Each structure stands twice: as C-alpha cells, then as structure tokens.
C-alpha cells in the first residue's frame, strides 16, 4: 500500500517538474545556440578589424592611401552586409525559440487540462476506496 502511495507521489512529482525541465532545457539550448553564433560573429568582426589595421600599417604613399580608402569603403559595405545577415539570423533564432516555447506551453496546457479532467475522476475513486476501507475495518 505504501509502495503504491510512494510510486504515485513520485509520478506526480515527475509530472509536476517535467514542464519546468523541458522549458529549462529549451532555454539552455537556445542560449547556447545564440551564444555560439554571437561568438562566431565577434570573431568575424575582429578579423575584419585586424585586417584593416594591418592594411593601414601598409600605407606608405598617396597611391597606397587611395587604395586603402577604396578597400576601406568596400570593407564597410561588407561589414554592413554581415551585420544585417547576423541580425536576420539572430531574429530567426529568436522566432524559432518563441515558436518552440509556445508549442511547449500549448502541449503542457493541453496535458494539464487532461490531467485535471483525469485527476478529478481519479481523486474521487481513492476517496471512495478509503471510505469503504475504513467502513470495512469498523465492521
């Protein structure tokens, strides 16, 4: 009898914490993915800056200065394009996370509704069994 109660308690505890575990897992996965993407982006930006600094160090006359200026403008266009692409990718990751979170909440809400409906009928059954067993022991 106590084993059944312990098992029932353990199962209820698992069911109670499962939604939180799934949400935490989803959030951690999303945070890891976004952090990795941001680190890669920073690496690209750092490399671009380092290359520009090296190019600036190579300027020795008017012609090389003109070439540097031309390459600088090209690099700024590339940087703008890269930043837009990164912003788009981060936005897509955020939307994907939002959809996954909404789906998870919808699943849990549906599960909770079912559990409440099932739980309501289950709660009345043990109450009857308890009252019947107490009647049986009095007789």
């Amino acid at each position: 009898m106590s084993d059944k109660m312990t098992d029932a308690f353990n199962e209820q505890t698992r069911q109670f914490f499962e939604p939180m575990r799934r949400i935490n897992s989803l959030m951690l996965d999303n945070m890891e993915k976004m952090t990795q993407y941001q680190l890669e982006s920073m690496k690209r930006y750092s490399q671009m800056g380092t290359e520009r600094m090296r190019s600036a160090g190579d300027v020795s006359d008017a012609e090389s200065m003109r070439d540097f200026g031309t390459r600088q403008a090209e690099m700024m266009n590339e940087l703008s394009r890269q930043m837009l692409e990164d912003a788009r990718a981060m936005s897509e990751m955020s939307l994907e996370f939002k959809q996954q979170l909404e789906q998870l909440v919808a699943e849990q809400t549906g599960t909770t509704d079912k559990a409440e409906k099932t739980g309501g009928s289950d709660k009345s059954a043990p109450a009857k069994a308890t009252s019947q067993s107490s009647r049986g022991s009095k007789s």
Side-chain angles (χ1 to χ4, degrees), residues 5 15 18 22 25 38 43 59 64 76-77 80 84-85 112-113 122 125 127 129-131 133 138:
M5 288 175 53
Q15 289 176 356
E18 181 63 18
R22 291 179 67 191
S25 177
Q38 288 173 337
K43 183 178 178 181
V59 173
S64 61
M76 291 305 288
N77 286 335
S80 295
L84 284 172
E85 185 179 314
T112 303
D113 291 344
D122 288 347
T130 304
S131 63
S133 63
K138 289 181 182 177

Side-chain angles (χ1 to χ4, degrees), residues 33-96:
K33 187 191 308 182
M34 292 187 95
T35 301
Q36 184 64 34
Y37 190 84
Q38 288 173 337
L39 288 171
E40 289 170 5
S41 294
M42 287 302 296
K43 183 178 178 181
R44 280 191 305 269
Y45 299 145
S46 295
Q47 287 173 343
M48 290 172 100
T50 303
E51 288 172 11
R52 294 312 326 146
M53 290 172 62
R54 285 201 175 118
S55 294
D58 292 341
V59 173
S60 58
D61 57 11
E63 187 176 323
S64 61
M65 181 63 173
R66 184 192 54 172
D67 291 343
F68 175 76
T70 303
R71 287 192 310 269
Q72 188 73 9
E74 292 169 0
M75 193 275 309
M76 291 305 288
N77 286 335
E78 173 65 21
L79 180 63
S80 295
R81 187 195 60 76
Q82 186 64 51
M83 290 179 82
L84 284 172
E85 185 179 314
D86 289 343
R88 190 176 307 117
M90 293 292 285
S91 177
E92 288 173 5
M93 281 189 260
S94 295
L95 286 174
E96 180 182 345

Side-chain angles (χ1 to χ4, degrees), residues 11-23:
E11 183 59 31
Q12 286 176 344
T13 303
R14 269 191 290 277
Q15 289 176 356
F16 177 75
F17 286 111
E18 181 63 18
M20 289 182 273
R21 186 196 65 74
R22 291 179 67 191
I23 287 173

Side-chain angles (χ1 to χ4, degrees), residues 85-126:
E85 185 179 314
D86 289 343
R88 190 176 307 117
M90 293 292 285
S91 177
E92 288 173 5
M93 281 189 260
S94 295
L95 286 174
E96 180 182 345
F97 172 70
K98 179 183 176 264
Q99 290 169 346
Q100 290 173 343
L101 188 59
E102 286 174 345
Q103 179 182 2
L104 184 61
V105 169
E107 288 173 6
Q108 293 307 314
T109 302
T111 303
T112 303
D113 291 344
K114 290 177 187 175
E116 287 176 357
K117 290 176 185 174
T118 306
S121 62
D122 288 347
K123 287 180 182 177
S124 61

